[in-house]
Amino acid sequence: MSEETKETEQAQKPAYGGQALIEGVMFAGKETTVSAIRRKNGEIEYFENLKKPKPVLQKLKKIPFVRGSIALIEAAALGSKHMNFASDRYDVHPDDDKDIVPEEERSKIAATIGVAAVSVVAFIIGTIIFTLVPVFLAETLSGPFPGHVAQNLLEGIFKTIILVGYVYLISLTPLIKRVFQYHGAEHKVINAYEANRSLTVQNVQEYSRLHYRCGSSFMLFTVIIGVMIYLLIPFDNLFERIVHRLLLIPVVLGVSYEVLQATNKLRNIPVLKWLGLPGLWLQLLTTKQPKDDQVEVSIRSFEKMLEREDEIHKEKIDERLV
């Protein structure tokens, strides 16, 4: 098979995404999201959350530079239930499932506005904090480094230090290290699938734990793109700078998302493929080499998602024929 044929087949495949969980992996299709986790007794358990059609969101997701923010908020909402499912069960023996606290009893806030909504709010607050803390840090050095350009560059440097430092520190904990191994397993499965390989543990382990479409790459792109956008908009004082940064969050997210998608499409083109390297470098921290049993969980999750996607698609066809 020629390289051109491979690239054509890759382009025709749906762009599936996923998320690493505690002792498992979640994969998202067009119609549903499916998780597989390894229970304490070694068994693999699944959790599915069907996507509910939202016409307004579907229309917004087709608009360039707007779809990025929508996709991120949707991902935070969809992933929240899978994360809760995994965190509730990963260290509990199935015989003790009766002791798991029901989701609606865990938090009054979550019970009132929903777990997904809480996750979205947490995502927004986290984004605001990550945006503003570097502003204040750069401002403390405005004496020796005055001027619009110097302050923006300092802001970008502080953002990078915070991002890389945070990822590195949490990667030192045993629990997060295993999550990062599952993150690597998720990428390996996607890479093998896009290369048209059969999804066996041996085949999947041959592929890279890095992927151009990863959310880790997206985080780093927000730093780089943010610096470029902020350079175009001058400020006269700290208050004005803060207001600009808050108002530009959707713009930075939207442009960064388009850049991320572009680097994925250009990854097989010489020279242009280097555009995605900064994101891949960060993934060296956010992914770890998975073990065979972790890859097995990732494969099972992905195959279950494909199976359910096919079943739902056939059900919809049958409904139209009735």
Side-chain angles (χ1 to χ4, degrees), residues 80-279:
S80 60
K81 292 189 175 182
H82 292 272
M83 288 189 289
N84 286 339
F85 167 79
S87 61
D88 284 345
R89 289 164 173 77
Y90 82 96
D91 63 346
V92 177
H93 194 282
D95 293 342
D96 300 321
D97 281 356
K98 61 183 182 299
D99 298 327
I100 296 175
V101 178
E103 188 175 275
E104 60 272 15
E105 296 179 12
R106 190 185 305 125
S107 166
K108 290 183 179 180
I109 297 177
T112 303
I113 65 175
V115 175
V118 170
S119 298
V120 170
V121 171
F123 166 76
I124 293 173
I125 292 174
T127 301
I128 291 173
I129 292 173
F130 180 63
T131 299
L132 294 186
V133 168
V135 170
F136 291 110
L137 291 175
E139 183 68 21
T140 62
L141 296 175
S142 59
F145 299 100
H148 181 63
V149 174
Q151 280 291 293
N152 277 325
L153 292 176
L154 263 182
E155 193 176 327
I157 290 171
F158 280 126
K159 271 189 178 181
T160 304
I161 292 172
I162 291 172
L163 175 61
V164 175
Y166 171 75
V167 170
Y168 174 72
L169 288 175
I170 65 172
S171 71
L172 298 178
T173 64
L175 181 64
I176 299 302
K177 181 180 179 181
R178 286 191 62 81
V179 172
F180 285 177
Q181 286 178 303
Y182 277 104
H183 191 191
E186 173 218 329
H187 286 178
K188 282 175 173 280
V189 168
I190 292 293
N191 283 326
Y193 170 76
E194 292 179 342
N196 298 307
R197 292 291 300 278
S198 59
L199 298 181
T200 64
V201 172
Q202 183 177 358
N203 286 347
V204 169
Q205 283 285 32
E206 293 176 7
Y207 285 84
S208 173
R209 72 178 201 262
L210 313 179
H211 196 285
Y212 276 79
R213 264 196 331 269
C214 178
S216 302
S217 296
F218 175 80
M219 289 190 293
L220 190 58
F221 280 136
T222 61
V223 176
I224 299 170
I225 298 300
V227 170
M228 294 179 179
I229 292 176
Y230 299 154
L231 284 173
L232 302 176
I233 303 176
F235 54 86
D236 294 324
N237 53 62
L238 179 60
F239 175 76
E240 198 173 278
R241 183 178 184 179
I242 292 172
V243 171
H244 286 167
R245 296 300 183 265
L246 293 176
L247 293 177
L248 287 171
I249 286 176
V251 178
V252 172
L253 293 179
V255 175
S256 299
Y257 181 83
E258 299 302 325
V259 172
L260 179 70
Q261 299 301 313
T263 59
N264 181 60
K265 293 177 181 178
L266 300 173
R267 60 181 174 171
N268 294 315
I269 301 176
V271 180
L272 294 180
K273 68 179 181 181
W274 303 110
L275 294 173
L277 280 185

